[in-house]
Amino acid sequence: MSTVWDAIVIGAGPAGLAAASLLAEQGAQVVVLDEQPAPGGQIYRAIEAGQANAGLLRILGPEYAHGGTLAARFRASGASYRPGTQVWQVTAEREVWVTSGGRSELLQGRAVVLATGAMERPVPVPGWTLPGVMTAGAVQILLKSAQVLPAEGLVLAGSGPLLSVVAMQCLRAGVKPAAILETATRADALAALRHLPAALGRVARGYLLKGVQMKLALWRAGIPVFREVSDIRIEGDTEAQAVSFRTPGGPRRVAATLVALHEGVVPMTQVTRSLGCEHVWDDAQCCFRPVLDSWGNSSVPGFLVAGDGGGIGGALAAEHAGRIAAWEVLHQLGRIDAARRDAGAAPDRRELAAHLAIRPLLERIFRPRAEILTPADEVVVCRCEEITAGQVREVVRHGCLGPNQAKSFLRAGMGPCQGRMCGLTVSALIAAERGIGMDEVGYFRIRPPLKPVTVGELAAMDIPR
């Protein structure tokens, strides 16, 4: 560990790229740590390679192509970039432990910007562990990274704008989804109307128009769309073969070779949790998020969170949040005064507010059903340890008070994913069974290593003396 970086940015999605670019352009010594082989994050995955593929850009649309501008500015900024680098521990002293190329390394920063983004909310329904079931985001990853899609039999199920986005991208690629199963309810749509006036601003109107255009295009394509769907069950002995469900008109069933589930996204909080940052339950987004000030500062000094890791806002909002955090880091480093920081961040603050204006409307329309948040007893909720919802409820009845006790009772959250896939569900099941709120129940205590690390990788590292 010879270099002390002015700033370490973890993540190379829109927030991380925007933050690192500005920091480097202002003369800060910054390094970006990225698990992926190239910048872009999940939303702009493989954007540099994709820019050379006109057919892929047509399929994925101009929103994806925008990532090329971010990546180009980042490459030109002079920021140091470490792709294929996995962060497995972060300490309150701004020490970041990583593995790359078969060895571990310790990096030290004066400030750390956490731009870890979001993950898709787990959708635990009967049959979701069968081969042939993945998330809608995973379908996008296959398309962006390998230009691979199923030839037929794709069923998209859940709620949120991403379902329509993926369906449109499939259509442009020549693949017509077999069906779209929308779980959003009419009651939630009506309740969301009170948020409509705030969503009619300059930027938010564009989101609404795009949504309407996608819905019309899917209707014209003749894709069967089932609305107010509940009781989704994926059927098959060794792989997904069909999806059964209920609609207001009665039970239905459609054949499927691939089922893509989606119920929105939630912040990735493993790093902020491991640091002991304060978190709060966001009932509108149905998730925990770190408590941040208007600059992205967390409750642990020297750590800022930018983008969807601090609350869901979308790719363009994340970009502006990344630059706002960068201005704050420059101020903390003593490179600029408060007046320069405030003036520099002002345009991004205006744009961030404009992009976030639509969020209350979307969050109310696409609020997950109770059966998704607290599934039936038979459903596996912890895939690593094969723990069912019924087992979680049973240990609560035997005195388990929270998710960390559930680890002792069941090993839920102790598998390779470290609770990423089951954490929210386990907490929600305990809260519902005890009749208390999510803030009171809390979440798993996250300890290092945040990602699997081998003994060989540890043995190969240079230990500072």
Side-chain angles (χ1 to χ4, degrees):
M1 184 183 68
S2 57
T3 300
V4 177
W5 299 92
D6 288 330
I8 299 173
V9 177
I10 301 177
L17 292 180
S21 297
L22 179 56
L23 285 165
E25 289 163 358
Q26 294 293 317
Q29 194 171 19
V30 56
V31 61
V32 176
L33 309 177
D34 185 11
E35 286 189 358
Q36 304 304 322
Q42 298 296 344
I43 188 69
Y44 302 130
R45 179 183 286 267
I47 181 60
E48 291 178 322
Q51 283 184 301
N53 188 332
L56 183 63
L57 291 180
R58 180 189 62 80
I59 291 169
L60 295 175
E63 295 82 8
Y64 175 72
H66 172 72
T69 304
L70 269 181
R73 178 176 174 181
F74 169 67
R75 292 290 194 183
S77 71
S80 180
Y81 178 53
R82 298 196 182 185
T85 300
Q86 188 166 268
V87 174
W88 59 269
Q89 183 176 1
V90 181
T91 72
E93 291 72 33
R94 298 177 297 285
E95 297 173 327
V96 181
W97 300 77
V98 303
T99 59
S100 180
R103 62 185 298 125
S104 284
E105 182 182 356
L106 170 61
L107 283 71
Q108 178 72 56
R110 295 185 176 92
V112 178
V113 178
L114 302 174
T116 51
M119 60 172 281
E120 285 185 87
R121 182 190 304 278
V123 187
V125 297
W128 77 309
T129 59
L130 282 170
V133 182
M134 61 177 63
T135 66
V139 174
Q140 274 196 324
I141 289 173
L142 288 173
L143 179 57
K144 293 172 182 176
S145 300
Q147 291 81 64
V148 171
L149 283 174
E152 58 184 11
L154 170 62
V155 174
L156 295 156
S159 70
L162 185 63
L163 285 183
S164 295
V165 171
V166 172
M168 281 299 304
Q169 291 170 346
C170 288
L171 276 180
R172 295 187 196 119
V175 174
K176 181 179 176 180
I180 300 175
L181 316 182
E182 296 183 348
T183 58
T185 67
R186 186 184 300 271
D188 281 334
L190 291 174
L193 288 177
R194 65 188 180 93
H195 299 297
L196 183 59
L200 294 177
R202 169 181 56 87
V203 173
R205 280 200 309 271
Y207 287 121
L208 292 175
L209 179 60
K210 177 186 173 185
V212 171
Q213 290 172 336
M214 286 193 296
K215 293 289 187 183
L216 286 173
L218 296 174
W219 174 73
R220 292 191 187 105
I223 299 172
V225 178
F226 299 90
R227 295 183 172 85
E228 296 199 83
V229 166
S230 62
D231 299 328
I232 293 174
R233 181 179 295 269
I234 302 165
E235 301 174 357
D237 294 326
T238 58
E239 61 184 0
Q241 296 175 327
V243 185
S244 62
F245 53 95
R246 295 192 66 84
T247 70
R252 302 294 296 263
R253 184 177 185 273
V254 295
T257 57
L258 178 65
V259 181
L261 301 172
H262 181 76
E263 287 284 352
V265 296
V266 296
M268 284 284 288
T269 60
Q270 298 295 98
V271 178
T272 50
R273 286 279 181 188
S274 71
L275 282 166
C277 296
E278 183 182 355
H279 289 72
V280 66
W281 175 254
D282 188 325
D283 192 60
Q285 296 189 352
C286 294
C287 63
F288 288 103
R289 58 174 175 79
V291 175
L292 309 174
D293 69 10
S294 64
W295 294 99
N297 288 298
S298 72
S299 60
V300 177
F303 285 88
L304 297 88
V305 181
D308 282 354
I312 304 305
L316 296 178
E319 183 180 334
H320 296 294
R323 281 194 282 269
I324 290 170
W327 285 114
E328 170 66 0
V329 170
L330 291 168
H331 175 57
Q332 291 182 8
L333 293 173
R335 290 179 173 270
I336 59 174
D337 60 20
R340 175 72 181 97
R341 176 200 63 182
D342 295 350
D348 285 296
R349 285 201 182 280
R350 289 192 293 270
E351 290 300 309
L352 177 61
H355 284 285
L356 293 180
I358 198 172
R359 294 309 307 180
L361 178 73
L362 297 179
E363 288 155 9
R364 194 66 183 90
I365 292 174
F366 299 118
R367 186 177 181 85
R369 284 177 175 264
E371 67 193 65
I372 300 299
L373 302 175
T374 52
D377 282 352
E378 68 187 270
V379 178
V380 171
V381 295
C382 176
R383 298 170 66 115
C384 298
E385 302 293 334
E386 298 184 335
I387 306 301
T388 66
Q391 288 175 282
V392 176
R393 291 187 174 100
E394 183 179 3
V395 297
V396 174
R397 290 192 287 269
H398 283 83
C400 175
L401 300 178
N404 292 300
Q405 279 185 303
K407 282 186 178 182
S408 300
F409 279 93
L410 298 170
R411 289 188 53 83
M414 296 183 71
C417 86
Q418 293 283 284
R420 289 174 180 82
M421 292 297 292
C422 68
L424 284 176
T425 308
V426 169
S427 290
L429 287 167
I430 295 172
E433 192 69 18
R434 294 186 59 200
I436 60 177
M438 288 289 280
D439 264 329
E440 186 175 349
V441 168
Y443 193 79
F444 289 134
R445 186 176 296 110
I446 305 300
R447 295 186 175 93
L450 301 173
K451 295 289 181 70
V453 57
T454 68
V455 173
E457 288 170 328
L458 294 175
M461 75 179 297
D462 294 324
I463 304 294
R465 300 182 185 277

